[in-house]
Amino acid sequence: MQLVYGQEQLIIQTDQTTLVFTIGKDKKLYQSYLGARLNPADYAKIKDIRHEAYHPAGTDNLFEPAIQVLQADGNPSLDLRYQKHDVQQVDGHQQTIIELRDPQYPVKVNLILKAFPKESIITSSVTIENEGKKPVVLKQYASSMLHLDAPNYWLTQFHGDWAAEMRMDEVPLNSGIKIIDSKLGARADMYQSPVFYVAEDKPASETTGKVLAGTLAWTGNFRFAFEVDNHNSLRIISGINNYNSEWPLAAGEQFNTPAFIFTFSDQGKGQASRNLHDWARNYAVLDGKEPRLTLLNNWEATGMKFDQQKLVHLFDNGVTLGVDLFLLDDGWFGRKYPRDNDHTSLGDWQEDPKKLPDGLGYLAKAATDKGIKFGVWLEPEMVSPKSELYEKHPDWILKLPNRDEHYYRNQLVLDLTNPKVQDFVYDVVDKTLSIDQHIAYVKWDCNRMMTNTYSPYLKHEQSKVAVAYVQGLYKVLDRLRQKYPHLPMMLCSGGGGRTDYGGLKYFTEFWPSDNTDGLERIFIQWGYSNFFPANTIAAHITSWGKQPLKFRTDVAMMGKLGYDIEVGHMNEQELAFSKLAVATYKQLSPIIWQGDLYRLLNPYEQPQAALMYVAKQKNEAVVFQFDWNTERRNKPAYPVLLQGLDAKKQYRVEEVNLMPDSKSRVDEHGGAYSGDYLMKVGLHFNGQHYASSVVKISTGEGTTK
Ligand code: DGJ
């Protein structure tokens, strides 16, 4: 803290970013700077007190507020003045807690800022405490408010639908407010993802431009508000969506917001993504530095039509491919109402005796005996109207009284605000895992959002449902992680309806989309790669798409590879290729999962894409190149310039993952290049429609672990 002209400063700093707060003479907290890291000698020159850092509603605020409180006496305002702050070093980051208080009313607000210097990430969360004797109401309670000042702002948002997740759109922000939010409750980011970029001045490219990347760690309704005011300043307010979600705060109670996570890069989006990936692997994703399991899933191949014998046969396919795990998907449960289609059985998590007479335990053992691990699909938050659970516990279901039930995928959501339901959901997972110690993986699905929502448990406090649901979900997951700290789990939500760092604390990976068409998947994975590291992005090879198997396999290799395909339908050549692909992937995956990602050719700009992952020691890299140009005669293919290598190092270049008997598409020049050459002249890929290449680049100095 420094004294400047009677105003004190608080500095939050990472290796690439500085955030400066000033405490004004009026004791209000102002944000004075957010941008590229400053030289400490220059802090004192920053005196800007135009932007109140966490501006409350009701007093002098003229634009979108960060917080709105209805006081116990009906006064609809909050006034926040700096009291004190505390700085501590905690587990790889510096934590600053800034205490603000209302001078007239007993409300305390702590801003909690965590700065991760190496990864250049700052997280912002808030605790709001009612220190009075009567209840107050929180009407808005953002995790963060940030201010930018630039001539222009460009927002990149990510939106979509089932099978069309993470479409990128970049738009200028001009006067007024733009809101990106979700009101879906569960399966919350089915339409809008809780991630964004804001570029200053002009649109940022992968390698140039000033850009802020932000995301909310919350598996529920979120809201980002971007408001450009009369002075062309931008305020960005991020947090839980307050739509229909007033939170009554009883005397003595505290409300904790989730963390808003952000990074600022003055070298474009690529650097921002690498910051997020490093932070995610080090701090945010369960076992982010540990290896992942390759797998064979049966959903696309069998749907719900299978029996024990068929599954045991499929284990052999997994073994043939060489994957680590067989994942049994939907359709294995239901006694009174067997799960033969999606109209029944959710909630009745006992094996269907017709399909699995010897149960999951038998399957888990049979798989283990064949040398492959076994995992299982669950959708524990849901209930089918045709189920024993529905018959027994109608009061455990979110549904409005006096209204028709409203189904989505023929199902309803359980009331996770109710501790009894939390116990039930915990037991579903715990009991399933306890059937046999060899059950080694869970795919946790969630196939609907909330509609017609009413919690029988919350009674007259219905405005709490959306938030209390997520809190209930986290309670269950906390308990499960205490008992099963490292069990790999995939977060799935009817494709990619739940992809956020609130959930990934408990999960090792997520399912990005049911769309596994090789070409469309390039766009989807490209989108996710902006915010999530490759080891969290499950990517399966299926029969979707008309591209050759090689193309689809190369796409899946850019994430956490799996298969969801009738292996028996592959011809001899395809099978030989796939076996080799799994082995190749096992060699390359440490670089893909833990390396630095460089997005080289943007599929939104031409019918080509290229991405590369560079090991931290810069001794190895993997380049992926895809080409779907049908008009090669008119459009020459330019060489792909690599990035992130050591200019001085000599690298060997080798195309791997080739179909048997096919030739390399890359001009290998005897295989030896300097890093300088590869980054300035690049690699030339012979163009072809639906051609793809995986190229290994290595100094031969040893393998990345
Ligand atoms: C939706 C998921 O995205 C699919 O992968 C599959 O697990 C189905 N649910 C099963 O119902």
Side-chain angles (χ1 to χ4, degrees), residues 299 329-330 377 409 443 445 447 492 494-495 511 514:
W299 175 246
D329 215 287
D330 194 354
W377 178 95
R409 210 196 187 206
K443 176 177 179 183
D445 209 342
N447 279 292
C492 173
W511 183 232
D514 281 344

Side-chain angles (χ1 to χ4, degrees), residues 54 67 78 80 97-101 107-113 124-131 138 141-144 249 253-258:
Y54 191 71
I67 180 167
L78 181 73
L80 291 176
I97 302 183
I98 308 172
E99 185 183 307
L100 308 171
R101 272 174 195 275
V107 175
K108 184 171 95 179
V109 170
N110 276 343
L111 306 186
I112 304 163
L113 292 138
S124 165
S125 57
V126 175
T127 63
I128 305 157
E129 206 174 323
N130 177 5
E131 295 183 323
L138 301 184
Y141 35 89
S143 300
S144 150
L249 202 58
E253 259 182 20
Q254 181 175 308
F255 183 85
N256 301 323
T257 75

